[in-house]
């Protein structure tokens, strides 16, 4: 039984490492590959006239759509003099590449507008011309920068660490089982010699 458990853990570790590597780790590394960090300063903060739809949830069977205004925060990076559009993270960039901020979707359009206006004031008054760290990827999106990364080093570490731990525990169980069987055979042989 312990050998079976060991081989099962080895297989699970290898399969999860392969699955995470193909489906999640490789795209995350590609996203990070052409990028880096830079210092950003705000050039302009503006609301576009266009409104976008978002989906809110108000219970298990309650869903609906609301609208929010588009806030754009244009920044200058220390890497380039061309203005770039700031986004919260990669997920937000994929959800709506035209806007810098997507508010938590509320049922009331007015509440969504207030959230966006609050964020606009924050960028204008609190941040202003103070430099802050931002992240970019020259190859994938040269005209966009992110405030934070979705795939940081700790997530990548966990993506690799836990499948390896599972694999090594499986190997350890198999090795200990083989050693235990070998010791049992030797003990039996020594016992027979003593009786002769």
């Amino acid at each position: 039984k312990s050998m079976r458990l060991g081989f099962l853990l080895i297989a699970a570790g290898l399969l999860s490492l392969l699955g995470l590597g193909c489906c999640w780790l490789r795209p995350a590394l590609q996203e990070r590959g052409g990028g880096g960090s830079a210092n950003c300063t705000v050039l302009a903060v503006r609301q576009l006239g266009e409104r976008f739809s978002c989906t809110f949830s108000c219970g298990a069977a309650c869903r609906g759509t609301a609208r929010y205004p588009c806030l754009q925060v244009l920044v200058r990076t220390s890497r380039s003099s061309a203005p770039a559009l700031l986004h919260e993270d990669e997920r937000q960039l994929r959800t709506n590449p035209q806007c810098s901020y997507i508010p938590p979707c509320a049922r009331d359009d007015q509440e969504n507008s207030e959230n966006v206006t609050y964020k606009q004031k924050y960028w204008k008054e609190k941040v202003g011309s103070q430099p802050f760290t931002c992240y970019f990827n020259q190859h994938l999106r040269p005209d966009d920068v992110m405030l934070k990364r979705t795939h940081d080093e700790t997530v990548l570490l966990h993506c690799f660490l836990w499948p390896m731990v599972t694999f090594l525990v499986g190997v350890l169980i198999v090795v200990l089982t083989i050693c235990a069987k070998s010791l049992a055979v030797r003990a039996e042989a020594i016992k027979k010699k003593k009786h002769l």
Side-chain angles (χ1 to χ4, degrees):
K1 282 186 176 179
S2 57
M3 286 285 277
R4 200 178 305 150
L5 175 66
F7 284 125
L8 185 70
L9 285 173
I10 290 170
L14 287 174
L15 286 173
S16 58
L17 192 63
L18 187 71
L20 286 170
C22 289
C23 301
W24 196 87
L25 188 61
R26 191 168 50 114
L29 288 173
Q30 282 175 346
E31 250 178 42
R32 292 172 55 91
S37 62
N39 282 329
C40 284
T41 46
V42 176
L43 291 175
V45 182
R46 63 187 183 207
Q47 278 192 39
L48 300 182
E50 191 176 356
R51 288 180 162 265
F52 290 88
S53 296
C54 63
T55 304
F56 64 84
S57 177
C58 47
C62 173
R63 293 177 73 83
T65 57
R67 300 181 73 73
Y68 65 93
C70 182
L71 176 68
Q72 287 189 336
V73 180
L74 295 171
V75 296
R76 179 182 295 122
T77 68
S78 56
R79 301 275 180 138
S80 168
S81 59
L85 184 61
L86 181 71
H87 301 276
E88 291 279 320
D89 55 23
E90 287 99 341
R91 185 185 57 77
Q92 186 269 320
L93 171 61
R94 283 191 295 271
T95 304
N96 188 344
Q98 292 176 306
C99 303
S100 294
Y101 175 68
I102 299 174
C105 195
R107 180 187 287 207
D108 182 26
D109 290 358
Q110 183 60 36
E111 189 178 334
N112 291 329
S113 294
E114 286 169 8
N115 281 337
V116 171
T117 303
Y118 173 79
K119 206 60 156 170
Q120 183 177 6
K121 282 182 184 173
Y122 168 79
W123 282 107
K124 274 186 177 175
E125 296 168 13
K126 293 262 174 74
V127 178
S129 59
Q130 296 174 26
F132 59 93
T133 304
C134 60
Y135 302 93
F136 64 93
N137 191 318
Q138 273 325 110
H139 302 310
L140 293 179
R141 306 284 303 210
D143 298 333
D144 297 289
V145 294
M146 271 74 63
L147 193 56
K148 57 186 179 226
R149 280 192 169 134
T150 309
H151 307 118
D152 64 358
E153 285 80 5
T154 54
V155 175
L156 298 177
L157 172 72
H158 286 292
C159 185
F160 180 72
L161 177 69
W162 296 115
M164 282 306 293
V165 168
T166 307
F167 173 77
L168 291 174
V169 167
V171 168
L172 188 64
I173 288 172
V174 169
V175 167
L176 289 176
T177 305
I178 291 170
C179 287
K181 283 184 181 178
S182 173
L183 287 173
V185 168
R186 282 187 186 174
E188 191 67 37
I190 291 169
K191 200 175 184 183
K192 282 182 183 176
K193 280 183 183 177
K194 282 184 180 176
H195 288 299
L196 293 174

